[in-house]
Amino acid sequence: MAEGRVVRAISGFFDVSDNGLVRRCRARGVFKKQGVTVLVGDIVMYDPIGTKEGIITSVLPRQSELVRPPIANVNHVLVVFAFVTPDLNFLMLDKTITAALIAGVEPSVVFTKADLVDEETAQRTCAIYRDCGIRTLAIATKQGTGVDAVRELMSGRVNVVAGPSGAGKSTLANALSPGLQLQMGEVSEKIGRGKQTTRHVELFQLDEDTWLADAPGFSQLQLNVESRELKRYFPDFTEPAGTCAYRGCMHVDEEGCGVKAQVDSGRIHRSRYDSYVQMYQELREQEENMY
Ligand SMILES: Nc1nc2c(ncn2[C@@H]2O[C@H](COP(=O)(O)OP(=O)(O)OP(=O)(O)O)[C@@H](O)[C@H]2O)c(=O)[nH]1
Ligand SMILES: [Zn+2]
């Protein structure tokens, strides 16, 4: 019996990587009856068959489980957005960060294309997220600036990259590990669909204990939370919320709201608050439509 990590799932087969050697494995027949699922990212025990195949005999307990994309044991979301081209969409960025926090996975923010904005703009934008306690980097991938810092951030973790089209995700992946961009492209071509629409997930190994997955559609992830719980996922609101006049304050229409006071005084960034209100209202609408 040996241990490996599932890096790919293809119509009933699972590619299991063990010290860099990948075997095509089948899951034990009894899994279906027992309701055991195997996901990309799972650490599994397997019985080798020859040098290229094997049978998965058990799935080790998961640290986390993302639903979309379906992937196990992710413990870091690299939220990649460009400063410009495309224009920075703060609502989309905040949604992606919040989706990661709701899923129980730590997000870090990587702003790309720092070469296209002035230093002051870059620092001001980074500060919004550093003030939330989120690790944030500004990089210029084409110039090679900051790529090592990203590598350090990812080291020893199972990472997914999330961000909009054109943010520079593929360029970054390629800078982290030359050839990776190509591999990601190949995967999409094989299943004959564009990279944007595919739900195919694959894990790439960057070094012995560092993994990277592409997460198409992560930011469109439905926020899996009740509207009244949303505020818990805004770390920048936690302290000022203690001064709200009402204990159950949602920080929207209430009088004597400590969060709104901090927005007015500039200590909570306005864009963060605007994103919160927008997300809160979207969740409220969904809830009203359910009944
Ligand atoms: N100036 C500048 N351009 C960059 C940088 N990083 C990426 N680009 C460019 O931005 C464009 C989009 O980059 P991609 O890496 O394809 O973006 P992506 O996020 O993978 O986009 P999708 O594949 O559509 O999801 C390309 O033309 C890149 O050359 C950067 O740091 N600076
Ligand atoms: Zn309040």
Side-chain angles (χ1 to χ4, degrees):
M1 198 144 60
E3 190 183 298
R5 192 184 288 271
V6 178
V7 294
R8 203 179 298 121
I10 312 156
S11 51
F13 290 95
F14 303 95
D15 283 354
V16 175
S17 171
D18 185 354
N19 285 313
L21 189 80
V22 177
R23 291 166 182 273
R24 187 138 298 183
C25 295
R26 205 188 285 277
R28 270 180 75 187
V30 69
F31 278 10
K32 203 168 255 171
K33 205 157 67 187
Q34 294 173 337
V36 177
T37 56
V38 182
L39 294 179
V40 169
D42 269 328
I43 298 173
V44 297
M45 304 303 293
Y46 71 93
D47 287 332
I49 301 172
T51 56
K52 293 199 171 112
E53 290 169 33
I55 298 213
I56 297 173
T57 54
S58 66
V59 179
L60 272 58
R62 287 172 191 146
Q63 200 187 3
S64 71
E65 186 178 330
L66 294 186
V67 177
R68 209 198 300 170
I71 175 166
N73 296 318
V74 168
N75 52 20
H76 190 217
V77 180
L78 211 59
V79 181
V80 178
F81 275 68
F83 281 121
V84 285
T85 62
D87 280 346
L88 187 48
N89 181 332
F90 284 102
L91 175 60
M92 194 53 84
L93 171 55
D94 291 325
K95 271 188 179 171
T96 309
I97 290 168
T98 308
L101 291 172
I102 290 169
V105 180
E106 185 192 341
S108 297
V109 176
V110 175
F111 288 115
T112 62
K113 313 195 190 185
D115 52 306
L116 300 182
V117 292
D118 59 79
E119 175 72 16
E120 206 242 311
T121 306
Q123 286 312 317
R124 194 162 17 88
T125 309
C126 286
I128 297 174
Y129 295 92
R130 290 190 181 132
D131 288 350
C132 300
I134 296 168
R135 284 193 271 188
T136 304
L137 296 172
I139 69 168
T141 318
K142 281 182 160 180
Q143 281 71 16
T145 315
V147 175
D148 284 342
V150 176
R151 196 177 281 118
E152 215 167 282
L153 209 56
M154 297 169 75
S155 178
R157 308 211 248 187
V158 181
N159 303 272
V160 298
V161 175
S165 183
K169 301 182 297 295
S170 309
T171 308
L172 175 60
N174 195 45
L176 288 165
S177 174
L180 208 59
Q181 185 180 32
L182 200 71
Q183 287 182 42
M184 284 185 170
E186 271 174 16
V187 170
S188 327
E189 266 168 43
K190 254 186 261 166
I191 57 170
R193 277 188 289 170
K195 196 171 152 195
Q196 292 318 303
T197 53
T198 175
R199 287 279 162 269
H200 186 93
V201 187
E202 180 157 3
L203 262 190
F204 298 99
Q205 189 161 23
L206 294 186
D207 62 43
E208 200 185 330
D209 53 1
T210 306
W211 300 84
L212 171 63
D214 197 4
F218 184 84
S219 48
Q220 279 100 289
L221 192 87
Q222 287 250 331
L223 294 173
N224 198 7
V225 73
E226 284 178 46
S227 58
R228 61 193 168 84
E229 299 292 338
L230 180 66
K231 59 185 180 182
R232 289 176 42 205
Y233 300 97
F234 278 70
D236 35 342
F237 292 8
T238 310
E239 208 189 300
T243 65
C244 292
Y246 303 100
R247 249 187 101 215
C249 187
M250 289 298 149
H251 322 311
V252 179
D253 303 315
E254 295 91 341
E255 295 287 321
C257 172
V259 170
K260 281 197 282 180
Q262 297 273 33
V263 175
D264 290 336
S265 74
R267 260 171 293 183
I268 289 176
H269 295 276
R270 171 92 39 196
S271 66
R272 289 280 298 164
Y273 182 70
D274 289 347
S275 291
Y276 170 76
V277 173
Q278 180 71 33
M279 288 158 69
Y280 177 80
Q281 281 164 351
E282 282 175 20
L283 288 170
R284 289 280 303 187
E285 267 169 43
Q286 282 170 26
E287 285 160 9
E288 275 158 25
N289 290 339
M290 272 167 63
Y291 305 106

